[in-house]
Amino acid sequence: MISRAQPNFPLLSDIGFDRIAIGISGLCAVHCLATAVLVALAASAGGLLLSPIIHEVGLVIAIGLGALALGRGVLQHGYMMPAAIGALGLGVMAGAISLPHDGSGETLFTLIGVGLLALGHDLNRRAVS
């Protein structure tokens, strides 16, 4: 049996970046669903929530937390699968930004990406435990 030297990241492991990232993924899903509902109810409120800057900043935050949490996980437990699934989710989310803001395709692909990213973080969290 080969033993792996476990790097010591006390600050990173204590904070629980995976849990934070899963929570933010949930907030993203709520944002997407709320935006779709609000667009259907009131075009003026939908215009504010559909602002491209909200999506771009959200994606940058997701990429940053994903790289930090999933990268830390690979270093701690050595499994690439959680990081690969999370990266796929980020890619789907990034692709969704490029779709027209007509509500259907963009929202669907964003929710698929958020789900994949949350799954990656959950697998990462379970592998570390």
PDB file of all heavy atoms in Angstrom, residues 62-89:
ATOM      1  N   ALA A  62     -18.018  31.637  -8.944  1.00  0.00           N
ATOM      2  CA  ALA A  62     -18.128  30.171  -8.993  1.00  0.00           C
ATOM      3  C   ALA A  62     -16.810  29.539  -9.440  1.00  0.00           C
ATOM      4  O   ALA A  62     -16.388  28.520  -8.884  1.00  0.00           O
ATOM      5  CB  ALA A  62     -19.260  29.760  -9.940  1.00  0.00           C
ATOM      6  N   ILE A  63     -16.157  30.126 -10.433  1.00  0.00           N
ATOM      7  CA  ILE A  63     -14.876  29.588 -10.904  1.00  0.00           C
ATOM      8  C   ILE A  63     -13.819  29.689  -9.806  1.00  0.00           C
ATOM      9  O   ILE A  63     -13.057  28.750  -9.568  1.00  0.00           O
ATOM     10  CB  ILE A  63     -14.423  30.304 -12.195  1.00  0.00           C
ATOM     11  CG1 ILE A  63     -15.335  29.897 -13.362  1.00  0.00           C
ATOM     12  CG2 ILE A  63     -12.967  29.988 -12.514  1.00  0.00           C
ATOM     13  CD1 ILE A  63     -15.112  30.723 -14.626  1.00  0.00           C
ATOM     14  N   GLY A  64     -13.781  30.826  -9.117  1.00  0.00           N
ATOM     15  CA  GLY A  64     -12.802  31.003  -8.043  1.00  0.00           C
ATOM     16  C   GLY A  64     -13.001  30.018  -6.905  1.00  0.00           C
ATOM     17  O   GLY A  64     -12.056  29.347  -6.463  1.00  0.00           O
ATOM     18  N   LEU A  65     -14.247  29.902  -6.419  1.00  0.00           N
ATOM     19  CA  LEU A  65     -14.517  28.951  -5.340  1.00  0.00           C
ATOM     20  C   LEU A  65     -14.308  27.521  -5.807  1.00  0.00           C
ATOM     21  O   LEU A  65     -13.811  26.672  -5.058  1.00  0.00           O
ATOM     22  CB  LEU A  65     -15.949  29.118  -4.833  1.00  0.00           C
ATOM     23  CG  LEU A  65     -16.179  30.222  -3.823  1.00  0.00           C
ATOM     24  CD1 LEU A  65     -17.663  30.362  -3.507  1.00  0.00           C
ATOM     25  CD2 LEU A  65     -15.397  29.958  -2.553  1.00  0.00           C
ATOM     26  N   GLY A  66     -14.698  27.238  -7.047  1.00  0.00           N
ATOM     27  CA  GLY A  66     -14.512  25.891  -7.576  1.00  0.00           C
ATOM     28  C   GLY A  66     -13.052  25.513  -7.648  1.00  0.00           C
ATOM     29  O   GLY A  66     -12.662  24.409  -7.249  1.00  0.00           O
ATOM     30  N   ALA A  67     -12.226  26.415  -8.154  1.00  0.00           N
ATOM     31  CA  ALA A  67     -10.792  26.125  -8.256  1.00  0.00           C
ATOM     32  C   ALA A  67     -10.185  25.924  -6.874  1.00  0.00           C
ATOM     33  O   ALA A  67      -9.383  24.999  -6.667  1.00  0.00           O
ATOM     34  CB  ALA A  67     -10.083  27.260  -8.993  1.00  0.00           C
ATOM     35  N   LEU A  68     -10.585  26.749  -5.935  1.00  0.00           N
ATOM     36  CA  LEU A  68     -10.037  26.656  -4.581  1.00  0.00           C
ATOM     37  C   LEU A  68     -10.489  25.375  -3.883  1.00  0.00           C
ATOM     38  O   LEU A  68      -9.664  24.586  -3.403  1.00  0.00           O
ATOM     39  CB  LEU A  68     -10.471  27.886  -3.773  1.00  0.00           C
ATOM     40  CG  LEU A  68      -9.794  28.119  -2.449  1.00  0.00           C
ATOM     41  CD1 LEU A  68      -8.307  28.324  -2.642  1.00  0.00           C
ATOM     42  CD2 LEU A  68     -10.386  29.347  -1.776  1.00  0.00           C
ATOM     43  N   ALA A  69     -11.793  25.147  -3.847  1.00  0.00           N
ATOM     44  CA  ALA A  69     -12.317  23.998  -3.101  1.00  0.00           C
ATOM     45  C   ALA A  69     -12.007  22.668  -3.789  1.00  0.00           C
ATOM     46  O   ALA A  69     -11.548  21.723  -3.146  1.00  0.00           O
ATOM     47  CB  ALA A  69     -13.829  24.145  -2.917  1.00  0.00           C
ATOM     48  N   LEU A  70     -12.263  22.597  -5.089  1.00  0.00           N
ATOM     49  CA  LEU A  70     -12.040  21.332  -5.786  1.00  0.00           C
ATOM     50  C   LEU A  70     -10.544  21.043  -5.938  1.00  0.00           C
ATOM     51  O   LEU A  70     -10.122  19.894  -5.827  1.00  0.00           O
ATOM     52  CB  LEU A  70     -12.745  21.348  -7.147  1.00  0.00           C
ATOM     53  CG  LEU A  70     -14.273  21.450  -7.067  1.00  0.00           C
ATOM     54  CD1 LEU A  70     -14.871  21.713  -8.441  1.00  0.00           C
ATOM     55  CD2 LEU A  70     -14.878  20.227  -6.428  1.00  0.00           C
ATOM     56  N   GLY A  71      -9.739  22.080  -6.157  1.00  0.00           N
ATOM     57  CA  GLY A  71      -8.292  21.895  -6.238  1.00  0.00           C
ATOM     58  C   GLY A  71      -7.708  21.439  -4.919  1.00  0.00           C
ATOM     59  O   GLY A  71      -6.858  20.547  -4.869  1.00  0.00           O
ATOM     60  N   ARG A  72      -8.201  22.007  -3.823  1.00  0.00           N
ATOM     61  CA  ARG A  72      -7.760  21.580  -2.491  1.00  0.00           C
ATOM     62  C   ARG A  72      -8.118  20.122  -2.263  1.00  0.00           C
ATOM     63  O   ARG A  72      -7.345  19.347  -1.720  1.00  0.00           O
ATOM     64  CB  ARG A  72      -8.405  22.449  -1.411  1.00  0.00           C
ATOM     65  CG  ARG A  72      -8.109  21.967   0.004  1.00  0.00           C
ATOM     66  CD  ARG A  72      -8.988  22.615   1.068  1.00  0.00           C
ATOM     67  NE  ARG A  72     -10.401  22.572   0.771  1.00  0.00           N
ATOM     68  CZ  ARG A  72     -11.220  21.548   1.089  1.00  0.00           C
ATOM     69  NH1 ARG A  72     -10.735  20.486   1.684  1.00  0.00           N
ATOM     70  NH2 ARG A  72     -12.496  21.598   0.791  1.00  0.00           N
ATOM     71  N   GLY A  73      -9.313  19.741  -2.722  1.00  0.00           N
ATOM     72  CA  GLY A  73      -9.742  18.359  -2.556  1.00  0.00           C
ATOM     73  C   GLY A  73      -8.844  17.379  -3.295  1.00  0.00           C
ATOM     74  O   GLY A  73      -8.495  16.327  -2.765  1.00  0.00           O
ATOM     75  N   VAL A  74      -8.459  17.732  -4.519  1.00  0.00           N
ATOM     76  CA  VAL A  74      -7.565  16.851  -5.284  1.00  0.00           C
ATOM     77  C   VAL A  74      -6.241  16.686  -4.539  1.00  0.00           C
ATOM     78  O   VAL A  74      -5.697  15.585  -4.458  1.00  0.00           O
ATOM     79  CB  VAL A  74      -7.328  17.401  -6.710  1.00  0.00           C
ATOM     80  CG1 VAL A  74      -6.226  16.632  -7.418  1.00  0.00           C
ATOM     81  CG2 VAL A  74      -8.607  17.347  -7.520  1.00  0.00           C
ATOM     82  N   LEU A  75      -5.739  17.761  -3.971  1.00  0.00           N
ATOM     83  CA  LEU A  75      -4.483  17.678  -3.220  1.00  0.00           C
ATOM     84  C   LEU A  75      -4.638  16.837  -1.954  1.00  0.00           C
ATOM     85  O   LEU A  75      -3.709  16.137  -1.557  1.00  0.00           O
ATOM     86  CB  LEU A  75      -3.982  19.068  -2.856  1.00  0.00           C
ATOM     87  CG  LEU A  75      -3.499  19.933  -4.027  1.00  0.00           C
ATOM     88  CD1 LEU A  75      -3.147  21.330  -3.540  1.00  0.00           C
ATOM     89  CD2 LEU A  75      -2.312  19.287  -4.712  1.00  0.00           C
ATOM     90  N   GLN A  76      -5.808  16.891  -1.316  1.00  0.00           N
ATOM     91  CA  GLN A  76      -5.998  16.161  -0.064  1.00  0.00           C
ATOM     92  C   GLN A  76      -6.301  14.694  -0.286  1.00  0.00           C
ATOM     93  O   GLN A  76      -5.719  13.840   0.372  1.00  0.00           O
ATOM     94  CB  GLN A  76      -7.126  16.784   0.760  1.00  0.00           C
ATOM     95  CG  GLN A  76      -6.700  18.031   1.475  1.00  0.00           C
ATOM     96  CD  GLN A  76      -7.767  18.528   2.428  1.00  0.00           C
ATOM     97  OE1 GLN A  76      -8.940  18.240   2.261  1.00  0.00           O
ATOM     98  NE2 GLN A  76      -7.350  19.285   3.421  1.00  0.00           N
ATOM     99  N   HIS A  77      -7.248  14.390  -1.174  1.00  0.00           N
ATOM    100  CA  HIS A  77      -7.654  12.990  -1.310  1.00  0.00           C
ATOM    101  C   HIS A  77      -7.187  12.343  -2.605  1.00  0.00           C
ATOM    102  O   HIS A  77      -7.236  11.133  -2.736  1.00  0.00           O
ATOM    103  CB  HIS A  77      -9.165  12.830  -1.166  1.00  0.00           C
ATOM    104  CG  HIS A  77      -9.981  13.711  -2.054  1.00  0.00           C
ATOM    105  ND1 HIS A  77      -9.984  13.622  -3.425  1.00  0.00           N
ATOM    106  CD2 HIS A  77     -10.832  14.712  -1.745  1.00  0.00           C
ATOM    107  CE1 HIS A  77     -10.818  14.512  -3.919  1.00  0.00           C
ATOM    108  NE2 HIS A  77     -11.327  15.199  -2.932  1.00  0.00           N
ATOM    109  N   GLY A  78      -6.718  13.121  -3.555  1.00  0.00           N
ATOM    110  CA  GLY A  78      -6.142  12.563  -4.772  1.00  0.00           C
ATOM    111  C   GLY A  78      -7.132  12.126  -5.832  1.00  0.00           C
ATOM    112  O   GLY A  78      -6.738  11.592  -6.862  1.00  0.00           O
ATOM    113  N   TYR A  79      -8.430  12.324  -5.622  1.00  0.00           N
ATOM    114  CA  TYR A  79      -9.434  11.919  -6.601  1.00  0.00           C
ATOM    115  C   TYR A  79      -9.740  13.073  -7.550  1.00  0.00           C
ATOM    116  O   TYR A  79     -10.064  14.179  -7.124  1.00  0.00           O
ATOM    117  CB  TYR A  79     -10.727  11.483  -5.921  1.00  0.00           C
ATOM    118  CG  TYR A  79     -10.564  10.312  -4.990  1.00  0.00           C
ATOM    119  CD1 TYR A  79     -10.868  10.426  -3.651  1.00  0.00           C
ATOM    120  CD2 TYR A  79     -10.106   9.089  -5.461  1.00  0.00           C
ATOM    121  CE1 TYR A  79     -10.718   9.361  -2.795  1.00  0.00           C
ATOM    122  CE2 TYR A  79      -9.949   8.020  -4.613  1.00  0.00           C
ATOM    123  CZ  TYR A  79     -10.260   8.155  -3.279  1.00  0.00           C
ATOM    124  OH  TYR A  79     -10.104   7.096  -2.437  1.00  0.00           O
ATOM    125  N   MET A  80      -9.664  12.784  -8.851  1.00  0.00           N
ATOM    126  CA  MET A  80      -9.920  13.811  -9.859  1.00  0.00           C
ATOM    127  C   MET A  80     -11.399  13.934 -10.235  1.00  0.00           C
ATOM    128  O   MET A  80     -11.820  14.936 -10.775  1.00  0.00           O
ATOM    129  CB  MET A  80      -9.115  13.517 -11.130  1.00  0.00           C
ATOM    130  CG  MET A  80      -7.640  13.799 -11.004  1.00  0.00           C
ATOM    131  SD  MET A  80      -7.287  15.542 -10.721  1.00  0.00           S
ATOM    132  CE  MET A  80      -7.932  16.267 -12.208  1.00  0.00           C
ATOM    133  N   MET A  81     -12.199  12.893  -9.971  1.00  0.00           N
ATOM    134  CA  MET A  81     -13.587  12.879 -10.410  1.00  0.00           C
ATOM    135  C   MET A  81     -14.398  14.073  -9.894  1.00  0.00           C
ATOM    136  O   MET A  81     -15.120  14.707 -10.671  1.00  0.00           O
ATOM    137  CB  MET A  81     -14.273  11.564 -10.023  1.00  0.00           C
ATOM    138  CG  MET A  81     -15.694  11.449 -10.564  1.00  0.00           C
ATOM    139  SD  MET A  81     -15.802  11.522 -12.359  1.00  0.00           S
ATOM    140  CE  MET A  81     -15.165   9.934 -12.778  1.00  0.00           C
ATOM    141  N   PRO A  82     -14.336  14.436  -8.604  1.00  0.00           N
ATOM    142  CA  PRO A  82     -15.106  15.599  -8.153  1.00  0.00           C
ATOM    143  C   PRO A  82     -14.709  16.878  -8.902  1.00  0.00           C
ATOM    144  O   PRO A  82     -15.582  17.662  -9.298  1.00  0.00           O
ATOM    145  CB  PRO A  82     -14.769  15.716  -6.665  1.00  0.00           C
ATOM    146  CG  PRO A  82     -14.382  14.332  -6.273  1.00  0.00           C
ATOM    147  CD  PRO A  82     -13.688  13.755  -7.467  1.00  0.00           C
ATOM    148  N   ALA A  83     -13.422  17.061  -9.120  1.00  0.00           N
ATOM    149  CA  ALA A  83     -12.967  18.257  -9.841  1.00  0.00           C
ATOM    150  C   ALA A  83     -13.408  18.219 -11.301  1.00  0.00           C
ATOM    151  O   ALA A  83     -13.787  19.255 -11.871  1.00  0.00           O
ATOM    152  CB  ALA A  83     -11.444  18.383  -9.752  1.00  0.00           C
ATOM    153  N   ALA A  84     -13.393  17.047 -11.911  1.00  0.00           N
ATOM    154  CA  ALA A  84     -13.816  16.926 -13.312  1.00  0.00           C
ATOM    155  C   ALA A  84     -15.303  17.220 -13.458  1.00  0.00           C
ATOM    156  O   ALA A  84     -15.721  17.936 -14.381  1.00  0.00           O
ATOM    157  CB  ALA A  84     -13.488  15.531 -13.838  1.00  0.00           C
ATOM    158  N   ILE A  85     -16.122  16.699 -12.552  1.00  0.00           N
ATOM    159  CA  ILE A  85     -17.561  16.963 -12.615  1.00  0.00           C
ATOM    160  C   ILE A  85     -17.831  18.436 -12.348  1.00  0.00           C
ATOM    161  O   ILE A  85     -18.654  19.068 -13.018  1.00  0.00           O
ATOM    162  CB  ILE A  85     -18.316  16.056 -11.617  1.00  0.00           C
ATOM    163  CG1 ILE A  85     -18.252  14.608 -12.101  1.00  0.00           C
ATOM    164  CG2 ILE A  85     -19.768  16.506 -11.451  1.00  0.00           C
ATOM    165  CD1 ILE A  85     -18.824  13.603 -11.132  1.00  0.00           C
ATOM    166  N   GLY A  86     -17.135  19.017 -11.375  1.00  0.00           N
ATOM    167  CA  GLY A  86     -17.299  20.441 -11.094  1.00  0.00           C
ATOM    168  C   GLY A  86     -16.874  21.304 -12.268  1.00  0.00           C
ATOM    169  O   GLY A  86     -17.543  22.286 -12.607  1.00  0.00           O
ATOM    170  N   ALA A  87     -15.774  20.938 -12.920  1.00  0.00           N
ATOM    171  CA  ALA A  87     -15.316  21.699 -14.093  1.00  0.00           C
ATOM    172  C   ALA A  87     -16.315  21.590 -15.240  1.00  0.00           C
ATOM    173  O   ALA A  87     -16.559  22.565 -15.954  1.00  0.00           O
ATOM    174  CB  ALA A  87     -13.941  21.199 -14.537  1.00  0.00           C
ATOM    175  N   LEU A  88     -16.915  20.421 -15.407  1.00  0.00           N
ATOM    176  CA  LEU A  88     -17.946  20.266 -16.430  1.00  0.00           C
ATOM    177  C   LEU A  88     -19.128  21.188 -16.133  1.00  0.00           C
ATOM    178  O   LEU A  88     -19.652  21.850 -17.026  1.00  0.00           O
ATOM    179  CB  LEU A  88     -18.414  18.806 -16.502  1.00  0.00           C
ATOM    180  CG  LEU A  88     -19.573  18.518 -17.460  1.00  0.00           C
ATOM    181  CD1 LEU A  88     -19.169  18.823 -18.896  1.00  0.00           C
ATOM    182  CD2 LEU A  88     -20.027  17.080 -17.318  1.00  0.00           C
ATOM    183  N   GLY A  89     -19.526  21.236 -14.875  1.00  0.00           N
ATOM    184  CA  GLY A  89     -20.610  22.134 -14.478  1.00  0.00           C
ATOM    185  C   GLY A  89     -20.282  23.589 -14.752  1.00  0.00           C
ATOM    186  O   GLY A  89     -21.125  24.348 -15.254  1.00  0.00           O
TER     187      GLY A  89
END
